[in-house]
Amino acid sequence: MHPAARTRATFRTGPMPVPRPRTRRIRSLIDADALRVLHRAARVLLDDLPELTDRLLAVLREQEPAYRSALENDHAGTWQEVYRSLRHSVTSLLDPRGTREAAHRCTWRIGVARAEQGLPLDALLHAFRLGGSLVWQRLVEETSRSEPEDVRLLVHVATDVWNFVDEHCTLVADAYRQAERQLAWRRENRARLLAAALLDGTSRIADLPETAEGLGLPEHGRYIVVAVAGGRPEDSADVLATAVPPGTSAYWHSGAEVDYGIVLVGDEDDRDAVAAPALPADAAAGYRIGVGSAVTGLAAVGDARRLADLALSICPPDGGSVRLTDHLPEALVASCPGLGASLTEQVLGPLLRLEPADRDVLLDTLAAWFASEGSAQRAGERLYCHRNTVLNRLRRCEQLIGRSLARPLDVVEIGLALTARRLPRG
């Protein structure tokens, strides 16, 4: 910490050095005298370290609420920490090179420990500066008591003392921030693991309180899971922001192919909890969003995730969003693709085996009639043809498949078969 006392003569080989000015030699003598005064006072401080520690803790208790709490919770541990730090500070005045590494290790450990305990960094830095100030004050006090005429010499080492304080403030701040980053990474990784277990349905009941705290969500809230897939990575932030209402509490879990949002929805009716979002026009291409139905409690998030996956499975392949409660018939057939395929073949088989041009015209007419809520007039407007043409095509469909659009049960079967055929195949 302190420059070594310079010798009055230097022996070296090679060219003779330029003689030093007179002022430099006087300065060397002053430095040597200042170091002598510093060392004398520092040796006294070493004997008074317990009292010095008590003084610093008294100041911290008065000025720093964070340390007041630390002293109340662990007085002995805090006392020992401050004592070790002051001891390294004072011994560094006597032997800066020999004690440098030990002093650095001590300061680094304090920074890490206080970060882990959650002590504010400002309070920690204030404590180090107060410690440096107190050490300097005691050096002056001791020199004034024992050799008052030497106090003026301490001015020549003041810069070294405060450089030491600044060095260790920087070091403890670096240690604190590094530990803080590691702690944040561990918290984020733990939260990710807990969220993955929730979504997989493998979370343990005993882990739910920790999960709630880690995700920032209540354990007994009401939740919907939103599944987002596809699109371009550079658009994901905009799409995820659109996928849940503004101001909604949500935790996003990034997966290899699908991102899941665990969304707190309160006590509203399912139909008003989370609507199918409208994707931003410049980021919509290829993105699919599935909004599941609500469940109660974090323990049921695995079920909510499966419902979100079901909604995602019936999204259009080229992009779009689906809320499960708005598409329950599609969800029914999508939940069992095998039965959906069997239903399609059993109900629409004769139509599907027609020539492609004829088949597509009849299937499009059936789909338009269902979309028009059974109105041949509106179906004709959709298809740009006369209502009678629609009626003729519908009668042909009825003849081919052996079902009537006037019988409710037949209408349900035809509608579900059309839905199963329209859904993307896994």
Side-chain angles (χ1 to χ4, degrees), residues 169-189:
C169 282
T170 299
L171 186 65
V172 79
D174 289 344
Y176 186 101
R177 293 188 181 104
Q178 181 173 318
E180 199 172 40
R181 287 192 295 271
Q182 292 174 344
L183 287 169
W185 180 86
R186 287 200 291 266
R187 284 194 298 268
E188 291 170 5
N189 192 53

Side-chain angles (χ1 to χ4, degrees), residues 45 47-62 71 75-76 78-84 86-87 130-131 134 138:
L45 261 63
D47 295 332
D48 294 342
L49 273 181
E51 185 269 338
L52 192 65
T53 301
D54 291 337
R55 284 180 62 177
L56 179 54
L57 287 177
V59 175
L60 286 173
R61 184 188 294 275
E62 178 183 348
L71 285 167
H75 185 278
T78 305
W79 194 95
Q80 287 294 332
E81 175 189 287
V82 172
Y83 176 84
R84 285 193 298 271
L86 288 174
R87 178 166 54 82
L130 283 174
L134 184 58
R138 287 289 292 113

Side-chain angles (χ1 to χ4, degrees), residues 215-218 222-224 244-251 261-265:
L215 306 188
L217 298 170
R222 190 160 165 274
Y223 294 98
I224 277 177
V244 297
T248 302
S249 297
Y251 177 87
I262 303 172
V263 184
L264 180 67
V265 295

Side-chain angles (χ1 to χ4, degrees), residues 7-74:
T7 57
R8 298 188 184 185
T10 303
F11 298 93
R12 64 175 70 188
T13 60
M16 181 68 67
V18 177
R20 294 178 179 176
R22 179 69 175 173
T23 54
R24 292 289 294 173
R25 186 176 181 187
I26 293 173
R27 178 65 177 163
S28 295
L29 291 172
I30 292 174
D31 285 352
D33 289 340
L35 285 175
R36 175 181 52 77
V37 172
L38 176 69
H39 291 170
R40 183 179 62 205
R43 281 189 285 270
V44 175
L45 261 63
L46 275 179
D47 295 332
D48 294 342
L49 273 181
E51 185 269 338
L52 192 65
T53 301
D54 291 337
R55 284 180 62 177
L56 179 54
L57 287 177
V59 175
L60 286 173
R61 184 188 294 275
E62 178 183 348
Q63 297 187 15
E64 276 296 341
Y67 268 93
R68 193 179 309 140
S69 176
L71 285 167
E72 291 172 357
N73 295 330
D74 183 14

Side-chain angles (χ1 to χ4, degrees), residues 36 268 344:
R36 175 181 52 77
E268 300 90 349
T344 301

Side-chain angles (χ1 to χ4, degrees), residues 375-395:
S375 169
Q377 179 68 38
R378 291 200 298 273
E381 293 170 359
R382 285 173 175 265
L383 298 170
Y384 303 102
C385 63
H386 194 273
R387 66 180 296 276
N388 289 338
T389 302
V390 172
L391 292 173
N392 288 333
R393 291 175 183 173
L394 292 176
R395 279 194 291 271

Side-chain angles (χ1 to χ4, degrees), residues 215-368:
L215 306 188
L217 298 170
E219 181 179 348
H220 302 292
R222 190 160 165 274
Y223 294 98
I224 277 177
V225 171
V226 178
V228 181
R232 301 172 301 186
E234 60 269 25
D235 296 326
S236 61
D238 291 337
V239 173
L240 295 183
T242 307
V244 297
T248 302
S249 297
Y251 177 87
W252 283 100
H253 177 80
S254 298
E257 297 180 356
V258 181
D259 293 336
Y260 293 102
I262 303 172
V263 184
L264 180 67
V265 295
D267 297 325
E268 300 90 349
D269 181 76
D270 278 0
R271 297 188 59 82
D272 299 324
V274 176
L279 293 171
D282 58 347
Y287 269 102
R288 296 177 295 117
I289 299 180
V291 180
S293 301
V295 297
T296 300
L298 285 177
V301 163
D303 295 331
R305 191 269 305 167
R306 286 186 283 273
L307 295 172
D309 282 341
L310 186 55
L312 188 66
S313 73
I314 58 180
C315 283
D318 56 348
S321 59
V322 166
R323 182 169 64 169
L324 191 66
T325 53
D326 295 335
H327 297 268
L328 292 178
E330 292 96 324
L332 285 172
V333 293
S335 63
C336 191
L339 286 180
S342 297
L343 178 65
T344 301
E345 173 59 30
Q346 181 177 331
V347 175
L348 301 178
L351 273 177
L352 299 177
R353 286 187 283 274
L354 294 175
E355 291 296 325
D358 200 13
R359 175 198 65 200
D360 292 343
V361 166
L362 294 179
L363 288 172
D364 289 345
T365 301
L366 270 176

